Amino acid sequence: MVDNYGRTISYLRLSVTDLCNLRCKYCMPETGVCKKRHEDMLTEDEMVTAVTAAARLGIRKLRITGGEPLVKKNILSICRRASAVPGIEEVCVTTNGVLLKDFAADLKKSGVKRLNISLDTLDGEKFRRITRGGDLQAVLSGIETALAAGFRRIKINAVLMGGFNDDEISQLAGLTMKQSVDVRFIELMPMVDAGYKDFDYLPASVVLDRVPGLEPLSVDGVAKLYRLPGAVGSVGLISPVSDNFCDGCNRIRLTADGKFKPCLHKPEEFSVKGLDIAEMMEQFRRAVLAKPRWHGEFSGQSRAGREMNEIGG
Ligand code: SAM
Ligand code: SF4
């Protein structure tokens, strides 16, 4: 489907839960999430119906996200059924990697084509601090297991945080030298209540200053790609704040409580909870036609109306 600004919307990000086994400071309040009523969340059948409705209207790529998708009990079934929806060409999963060691092989068997793994630091103590208690080693072995299970070009997402990981940019980019991984640096977005204020915002261009050997490669969706000489993988810069990519936006989001969200940084939502497929298609159409031209100035804070774990990033 084409929106009011001529953009073809072909990419759906489905949040399957807003719960998480970590509490990253820039994503969630320390107190965690305010648990919603079970009956207010989409059921697995509703998720599959919503994906089918969206696919009938042109969605081709599906990313499953959260919260943490791997804490969702029926995640493998959701991946399997979503992969089989006519029109869906690629199902990808974004995960914090903590449970990946146990899930990688089954995710592959369930039809998942690609993985994005969030990793902001290679220092165990700093990882514990930023995630409020997470175990870096679990994530690193999850990445190894996923590579062994046959996932290629795994994307490692690192949020750039001044005073936290700017001293590790070169080391993180260096992960692309030997392994089949692409490292993506993402600018810190000022979400609602989360502790993003504890860190300094850094423009993604800082990566080019810190890693002087990077050679320009291409543009891949929202990422500007570079490569280190002789590297296996690429280094990508994603700049939602300093250089928004709204002109090329091809995406829409569906939250775990069943709201199509036309724009990550706008409060508008279109509910599909309890609807049949025809009604869901109508809500999808409304949401696509409600997509703004761009997310607007942040003027201090995102107007998303929800924290990142409740949207899916
Ligand atoms: N739990 C999974 C994970 O961490 O990969 C999936 C959900 S998480 C909300 C999706 C992505 O959003 C992660 O890569 C995370 O780093 C990113 N994210 C969360 N809060 C952010 C913020 N304030 N600014 C930039 N990226 C953020
Ligand atoms: Fe959880 Fe992902 Fe948010 Fe971290 S970024 S708190 S892992 S949802």
Side-chain angles (χ1 to χ4, degrees):
M1 213 187 136
V2 178
D3 76 358
N4 283 330
Y5 302 94
R7 300 170 296 197
T8 300
I9 309 307
S10 57
Y11 175 20
L12 173 65
R13 295 177 69 99
L14 167 65
S15 171
V16 292
T17 177
D18 45 21
L19 303 179
C20 188
N21 47 0
L22 297 180
R23 300 261 179 283
C24 301
K25 287 189 172 174
Y26 49 75
C27 177
M28 264 203 206
E30 188 165 14
T31 44
V33 298
C34 179
K35 202 165 185 298
K36 299 202 172 82
R37 292 188 323 163
H38 187 254
E39 56 270 34
D40 292 336
M41 309 308 277
L42 287 185
T43 63
E44 177 177 329
D45 284 346
E46 284 176 322
M47 284 182 195
V48 176
T49 307
V51 171
T52 308
R56 287 190 189 167
L57 291 168
I59 291 297
R60 296 291 166 259
K61 174 174 170 180
L62 176 70
R63 175 168 303 284
I64 293 180
T65 175
E68 172 49 38
L70 301 188
V71 303
K72 180 91 178 159
K73 279 202 190 73
N74 48 349
I75 185 63
L76 294 174
S77 173
I78 294 171
C79 291
R80 200 174 317 112
R81 292 177 65 189
S83 305
V85 167
I88 296 295
E89 294 164 2
E90 189 179 54
V91 174
C92 310
V93 168
T94 298
T95 170
N96 60 33
V98 170
L99 298 175
L100 194 53
K101 194 169 189 292
D102 298 331
F103 276 92
D106 287 334
L107 286 171
K108 186 96 184 132
K109 282 188 211 138
S110 306
V112 175
K113 294 282 187 296
R114 305 274 303 253
L115 292 176
N116 282 18
I117 301 168
S118 302
L119 182 60
D120 305 316
T121 172
L122 296 169
D123 177 302
E125 195 280 318
K126 280 164 79 177
F127 186 83
R128 233 184 334 274
R129 209 160 7 112
I130 192 72
T131 60
R132 299 193 180 102
D135 173 15
L136 173 66
Q137 211 43 54
V139 181
L140 297 179
S141 37
I143 295 173
E144 289 299 329
T145 311
L147 286 166
F151 283 106
R152 289 290 166 266
R153 310 306 299 266
I154 291 174
K155 283 186 191 151
I156 308 276
N157 292 338
V159 178
L160 285 165
M161 286 168 278
F164 179 74
N165 62 0
D166 41 339
D167 56 337
E168 289 188 79
I169 291 173
S170 185
Q171 206 189 346
L172 285 162
L175 292 175
T176 62
M177 288 305 292
K178 292 201 188 91
Q179 286 177 316
S180 179
V181 298
D182 296 324
V183 175
R184 300 276 183 268
F185 291 99
I186 304 172
E187 290 176 350
L188 177 65
M189 289 180 264
M191 298 312 286
V192 186
D193 216 9
Y196 70 88
K197 290 179 187 137
D198 292 356
F199 309 101
D200 293 330
Y201 158 82
L202 292 174
S205 58
V206 76
V207 175
L208 302 179
D209 300 333
R210 301 292 168 90
V211 195
L214 286 173
E215 295 164 354
L217 208 55
S218 58
V219 175
D220 174 24
V222 299
K224 289 188 186 127
L225 300 188
Y226 298 80
R227 194 187 290 281
L228 282 166
V232 185
S234 64
V235 172
L237 310 191
I238 303 183
S239 330
V241 181
S242 69
D243 183 15
N244 78 77
F245 33 76
C246 303
D247 281 350
C249 184
N250 64 349
R251 60 189 61 189
I252 191 150
R253 295 174 167 82
L254 181 58
T255 64
D257 59 350
K259 310 287 194 304
F260 276 124
K261 212 166 166 39
C263 174
L264 170 59
H265 295 296
K266 297 276 190 192
E268 284 75 23
E269 299 179 343
F270 295 80
S271 182
V272 296
K273 179 70 194 163
L275 303 186
D276 65 25
I277 189 160
E279 293 164 334
M280 285 190 187
M281 286 173 71
E282 195 43 43
Q283 288 297 69
F284 179 89
R285 272 193 205 96
R286 287 194 182 115
V288 168
L289 294 178
K291 275 181 75 64
R293 188 176 64 74
W294 76 300
H295 57 55
E297 298 293 348
F298 282 113
S299 58
Q301 210 167 49
S302 165
R303 278 170 290 156
R306 294 170 176 250
E307 294 293 1
M308 203 65 114
N309 68 289
E310 298 174 303
I311 306 172

